[in-house]
Every structure is written in structure tokens, then in C-alpha cells.
Amino acid sequence: MQRLPAGLKRDRVRDVLLDLIADKDPGTAIPSERDLSRELGVSRPTLRAAIDGLVRQGMLVREHGRGTFTGRRKVTQPLAAGDDSFHAPAAEGNWLSRILEFDSAPATARLAHRLQVSPADPVLRVVRLRLVDDEPMAIERIHLPHRLVESLRPDDMVSGSFYRFLRTRFGIDVRRATQSIEPTVTDETEAELLGVPQHAPALLIERTAREAGGRVVEFTRSIYRGDRYRITSELHFDDTSG
């Protein structure tokens, strides 16, 4: 039988470990490295490398002198497929916000392009730390044409659905958005706010929201913790799908 490269061995061990912890509650101890390496028939260095990877992803947690435990569950945000788009049901957990910045300034050339306004038009910039069950989860940098939300106050953005608030207070009915998601790492400031190490894995999400008529009403750039947040989607295929 052909000998597997070390990287493939590690991947196989990782898959076994994922199955092992899949149904366990957060904080559950897993078997010792000695027992696992004997049970799986792999060397301790191969096993340790696989565990190290899961620790970096937040799926396992090492505690000095105590052992290795399952990590906290990720907060899940589903995206549900409609006829020709996606809608976003509410994410898990109790979401609140801490407002870090709230000010208005003329749009930069980049923001003016994003929001489809003049570079001289004032743009409201709001930075808020998003908390789920009192734990930091994301940093949102929200930009809105100021003329659309002149009476908006920081307290208005602490709890509840912001889009629902825009609709009831300002008559701004957000109906669609273009969103991109890509991997990134936290910088020093983001890491401190989110309570994670610098250069920790994160998700960079950019979203441009529009009313039904197509007018742009918001551009948001967010950093979400990669160890605690995930996005799922349901796909539908027809006869022409590849």
C-alpha cells in the first residue's frame, strides 16, 4: 500500500477528530493525545498537528495542565434561496450593539461611488461592535447618505433590526443587497475589540443595500470572528446545473 504523505495523514486525522467532537457540548474533554494516537494508529506529532489546526480554528481549546476540550459553538447565519435571490433569516443568539463612532463627514471618492452620491455630500459613518449573548462577534462600519437619516441617533442602533427601523422611522424599505464574503485576518485594533489574537482568522463582509427602486441607502464593511461565526446557504439545482 502506498504510504500517505504527512499532510494527507493529518487531514484524515482531522476528519476523525471533527466526527469525534461533532455532537459534543462545548467544554467537553476529548481523549488524551496518547490514547488518540494509539486508537487512530498515527504518531503523536501527526495527531498534535491536526489538533493544533482545530485549536487555531476555535473548534478545540487547550487548557494547560487539564487537557483539550471542545470549543464554543459557532453562531450560524443562514441564507435561504428564493426564486432568484437570497434572503437572510435572523442569526442565532441575542444581538446587541455598542456604538464606537457616530459622525458625519463629506463622502470620499470611494464612498461617493459606493453610495451613488456627490463627493461633497455628507455621509453618516457608524462603527459598532456587535455582541451576541454579551460576547464580541463583529465590527460593523456602516455608511449612509446623511440626508436620508438626519434624525438618526446612536441609541437607535443598539438593538433590534436596523432595516426594520429604517422602514418604520424613515420610510426606507431595503429590499435587496449585493454582498461579498472573503477570508481575512484581524489587525491589532480589531483583535482587541473582538477579544481574539492579532491576525486571527476572520470574515470580511461588504454589503451594498438598495431600496426596491434601486437607490443605494447603505454601504457596510464588517469584520466577523472566524472562530465563532459561519454562514450557511441552501442550494437548489435544476437539469441545467453542472
Side-chain angles (χ1 to χ4, degrees):
M1 182 180 296
Q2 184 177 4
R3 187 179 181 87
L4 282 175
L8 291 181
K9 270 190 182 179
R10 189 165 57 246
D11 287 345
R12 288 192 177 184
V13 173
R14 179 181 182 275
D15 289 342
V16 172
L17 291 173
L18 287 173
D19 288 340
L20 175 68
I21 67 178
D23 298 323
K24 295 187 182 299
D25 293 330
T28 301
I30 68 170
S32 68
E33 289 185 3
R34 178 184 302 172
D35 290 343
L36 283 172
S37 64
R38 183 171 59 246
E39 179 182 344
L40 300 178
V42 297
S43 67
R44 292 278 291 275
T46 296
L47 176 68
R48 190 173 296 118
I51 291 176
D52 286 344
L54 295 179
V55 168
R56 285 192 295 271
Q57 294 176 352
M59 304 187 76
L60 290 174
V61 177
R62 280 199 179 100
E63 295 188 14
H64 183 68
R66 294 191 62 222
T68 304
F69 301 82
T70 53
R72 290 165 294 183
R73 298 216 183 277
K74 293 195 175 188
V75 173
T76 298
Q77 168 70 71
L79 295 179
D83 293 337
D84 57 0
S85 62
F86 288 89
H87 69 275
E92 299 172 339
N94 179 33
W95 290 73
L96 295 173
S97 299
R98 184 187 308 158
I99 307 303
L100 305 177
E101 295 181 34
F102 192 95
D103 57 54
S104 180
T108 62
R110 175 175 172 270
L111 272 180
H113 176 72
R114 291 276 194 175
L115 294 172
Q116 297 180 4
V117 298
S118 165
D121 287 349
V123 169
L124 178 64
R125 181 176 187 266
V126 182
V127 180
R128 60 180 185 172
L129 179 65
R130 299 285 275 153
L131 304 145
V132 181
D133 300 330
D134 295 325
E135 182 176 11
M137 187 62 60
I139 302 165
E140 288 185 342
R141 299 172 174 91
I142 303 169
H143 305 85
L144 307 127
H146 196 200
R147 59 183 172 78
L148 299 181
V149 291
E150 290 184 354
S151 62
L152 186 67
R153 298 291 178 263
D155 289 348
D156 298 328
M157 304 186 68
V158 170
S159 63
S161 166
F162 181 53
Y163 288 158
R164 186 180 300 118
F165 178 84
L166 288 178
R167 184 168 60 251
T168 56
R169 170 74 74 83
F170 299 104
I172 298 173
D173 191 8
V174 176
R175 285 294 175 179
R176 58 190 179 94
T178 301
Q179 180 167 281
S180 64
I181 304 170
E182 60 185 272
T184 187
V185 295
T186 55
D187 62 24
E188 182 178 0
T189 300
E190 292 163 348
E192 182 178 356
L193 287 170
L194 294 174
V196 298
Q198 187 175 353
H199 303 142
L203 294 173
L204 169 62
I205 300 178
E206 291 190 348
R207 182 176 64 249
T208 302
R210 292 175 170 83
E211 291 182 301
R215 180 175 63 170
V216 176
V217 297
E218 175 210 30
F219 170 68
T220 295
R221 187 177 189 271
S222 304
I223 297 291
Y224 281 76
R225 287 176 56 165
D227 64 329
R228 292 297 319 282
Y229 189 80
R230 67 179 174 184
I231 295 174
T232 64
S233 60
E234 181 179 346
L235 305 178
H236 296 269
F237 300 96
D238 57 26
D239 293 339
T240 63
S241 300

